[in-house]
């Protein structure tokens, strides 16, 4: 968990640019039909990623699409953590435009290129 991320948003911070693209932890709990403590546990276990935006811990909404966490997200987050990425750096990696993918690795995780994103995360880790 990254608690030292600046509270303000800006162009240098990763993730969705639109404030509607973010969910607070209670919103995620409701979206996934889980308790807030389970959401906190999922963040600690690197099944989800949360960063501070405007002083509140938030999760990009597209990472919990269709009322579930994207299938390969926990694996990618663990690979990036093993490579030494903190939460903000992992989020930046997930939302960096990649011309060989349809947009960003975060978008690709929700489609047919999820395994490719995971393979690229493995390459970063070694």
């Amino acid at each position: 968990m990254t608690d030292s991320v600046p509270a303000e948003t800006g162009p240098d911070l990763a993730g969705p640019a639109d404030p509607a693209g973010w969910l607070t932890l209670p919103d995620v709990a409701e979206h996934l039909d889980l308790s807030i403590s389970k959401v906190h546990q999922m963040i600690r276990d690197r099944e989800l990623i949360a960063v501070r935006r405007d002083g509140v811990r938030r999760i990009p909404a597209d990472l919990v699409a269709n009322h579930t966490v994207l299938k390969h997200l926990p694996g990618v987050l663990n690979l990036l953590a093993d490579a030494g990425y903190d939460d903000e750096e992992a989020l930046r990696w997930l939302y960096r435009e990649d011309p060989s993918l349809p947009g960003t690795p975060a978008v690709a995780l929700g489609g047919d290129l999820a395994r490719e994103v995971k393979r690229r995360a493995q390459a970063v880790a070694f």
Side-chain angles (χ1 to χ4, degrees):
M1 293 178 287
T2 303
D3 288 329
S4 60
V5 176
E8 63 278 347
T9 59
D12 57 328
L13 297 177
D18 180 5
W22 292 92
L23 297 172
T24 63
L25 301 191
D27 292 339
V28 171
E30 184 178 326
H31 187 73
L32 298 177
D33 196 26
L34 300 171
S35 68
I36 189 71
S37 59
K38 177 62 177 167
V39 172
H40 284 279
Q41 183 65 43
M42 292 173 77
I43 293 167
R44 281 191 299 275
D45 292 344
R46 291 193 185 103
E47 295 174 29
L48 279 173
I49 187 168
V51 293
R52 288 202 184 274
R53 295 293 187 264
D54 297 324
V56 177
R57 290 178 70 202
R58 299 178 189 271
I59 295 172
D62 53 355
L63 299 181
V64 290
N66 300 322
H67 300 284
T68 185
V69 175
L70 294 178
K71 180 179 178 181
H72 294 280
L73 180 64
V76 169
L77 293 176
N78 279 300
L79 288 165
L80 294 174
D82 290 348
Y85 284 52
D86 65 21
D87 288 348
E88 190 66 40
E89 291 167 330
L91 198 64
R92 195 171 294 117
W93 187 89
L94 283 167
Y95 282 91
R96 184 177 299 127
E97 288 290 327
D98 187 331
S100 65
L101 295 172
T104 66
V107 170
L109 275 175
D112 294 337
L113 293 173
R115 292 188 198 287
E116 174 62 16
V117 172
K118 195 169 183 180
R119 187 195 63 75
R120 292 177 187 199
Q122 285 174 320
V124 168
F126 296 101

